[in-house]
Amino acid sequence: MRREKGAMCTPVLQFTNCRILRGRKLLREDLWVRGGRILDPERLFFEERLVADEQRDCGGCILAPGFIDVQINGGFGVDFSQATEDVGSGVALVARRLLPHGVTSFCPTLVTSPPEVYHKKEEGVGWDACLRYLCHVLPQIPVKSGGPHGAGVLGVHLEGPFISREKRGAHPEAHLRSFEANAFHDVLATYGPLDNVRIVTLAPELGRSHEVIQALTARGICVSLGHSVANLRAAEEAVQSGATFITHLFNAMLPFHHRDPGIVGLLTSDRLPPGRHIFYGMISDGMHTNPAALRIAHRAHPQGLVLVTDAVPALGLGNGRHTLGQQEVEVDGLTAYVAGTKTLSGSIAPMDVCIRHFLQATAYL
């Protein structure tokens, strides 16, 4: 019952000898896939009268969806916030090295940087400066499908520079910005074209942020709230304007207070637009978030939880001094700090480690 030659159908792939998680149990089952979609084998056989075009023996391994990391600043010596001659080769190296950790797609994340790092400097610039910034970053990180060559690139995550000075964390203060009279023009002047951008993190308490949120979401860009001193009302108004995500919940924001829980309060807010869902990233590396905080967030709003690594370029390299955009980072054991301080500057834990820590902390399974 194989398809006739010339049939205009996408091939059917059958994974055999694999274990699949169903109902929190690992079961030995085969899996049929066509064009990236899981098929019902009974319908395939009895209704379409087809069998698999190709079989792959999984050797008893677990077959599961790949991990997605929407906040990763670099890794394995590659710094996404550094303008180099070939940004693409660095992204490709990270994409390749992420696969063994189960990550099949990711958002390369740029921390607060001068405009010349994001995009090509315009007219009125001297020749030396042109040479210095010839390697602008954003145009060199296109959306790209994953495969055996490496994890796919979903689009760039721009974290800053439109964030709070008080909660800037490891972001360099000298390059922070606020919105001026023509707010969205300021965004374009800073970042340049937004063709490759998927997520923008900003502080919703900044003046004119709501018009920026509306303009970004109209372009299909996810707006995430973070590095902020916003109270709950400001956060709710940002969601009403279109924001749908929270950057590394609990980190770089006002702590929870019972009279005004701040951005954290969005997890249980009753003032969100009908049908609007809020999602939130959490760094489950054992350093950024106490296990009790992981449990609180997960039990309050489990459907919105998105684990992220917030990994820095030092991921996979060990102790020593490394870069994170415009700053130096010092890695000591399992922790990365802005050099010479005790300010956390991202994680050095890969996604599979974060997943295991989350499972242990929450007893999810």
Side-chain angles (χ1 to χ4, degrees), residues 18-19 104 182:
C18 54
R19 292 179 293 159
T104 54
N182 192 345

Side-chain angles (χ1 to χ4, degrees), residues 112 118 158-165 175-192 194 199-217 221-228 230 234 238 241 243:
T112 294
Y118 297 114
L158 297 174
E159 186 185 4
F162 301 101
I163 59 175
S164 162
R165 294 183 183 275
H175 300 302
L176 298 183
R177 296 175 64 90
S178 57
F179 301 120
E180 302 302 330
N182 192 345
F184 192 61
H185 180 269
D186 295 334
V187 171
L188 296 177
T190 299
Y191 297 139
L194 300 172
I199 304 173
V200 172
T201 291
L202 56 80
E205 71 273 15
L206 296 180
R208 303 181 180 86
S209 64
H210 299 296
E211 60 186 88
V212 172
I213 294 171
Q214 292 168 355
L216 289 171
T217 54
I221 295 172
C222 170
V223 174
S224 185
L225 311 179
H227 287 278
S228 167
S241 294

Side-chain angles (χ1 to χ4, degrees), residues 64-131:
F67 303 139
I68 299 172
D69 193 352
V70 299
Q71 187 176 6
I72 173 171
N73 309 292
F76 317 104
V78 175
D79 188 338
F80 297 143
S81 300
Q82 288 281 338
T84 65
E85 292 184 359
D86 188 2
V87 173
S89 64
V91 174
L93 185 152
V94 174
R96 187 169 63 252
R97 297 285 297 273
L98 288 178
L99 280 182
H101 296 286
V103 176
T104 54
S105 56
F106 67 110
C107 291
T109 303
L110 274 64
V111 297
T112 294
S113 304
E116 297 82 3
V117 169
Y118 297 114
H119 70 105
K120 185 177 180 180
K121 204 168 180 80
E122 300 298 335
E123 66 275 1
V125 180
W127 176 248
D128 290 343
C130 284
L131 288 176

Side-chain angles (χ1 to χ4, degrees), residues 248-301:
H248 43 52
L249 186 74
F250 295 123
N251 295 115
M253 61 185 60
L254 291 179
F256 179 91
H257 189 279
H258 60 282
R259 283 194 292 273
D260 190 339
I263 289 177
V264 177
L266 288 176
L267 272 60
T268 57
S269 173
D270 58 0
R271 296 189 61 211
L272 304 187
R276 180 72 53 80
H277 301 286
I278 192 73
F279 297 89
Y280 58 97
M282 293 198 79
I283 309 170
S284 177
D285 63 348
M287 298 292 167
H288 279 77
T289 313
N290 187 279
L294 284 172
R295 290 190 289 271
I296 288 171
H298 177 250
R299 292 173 188 177
H301 184 29

Side-chain angles (χ1 to χ4, degrees), residues 2 6 55 129 181 186 211 223 240 245 249 309 325 362 364:
R2 290 190 178 274
Q55 291 184 332
D186 295 334
E211 60 186 88
V223 174
Q240 291 161 7
F245 201 75
L249 186 74
T309 63
T362 62
Y364 184 69

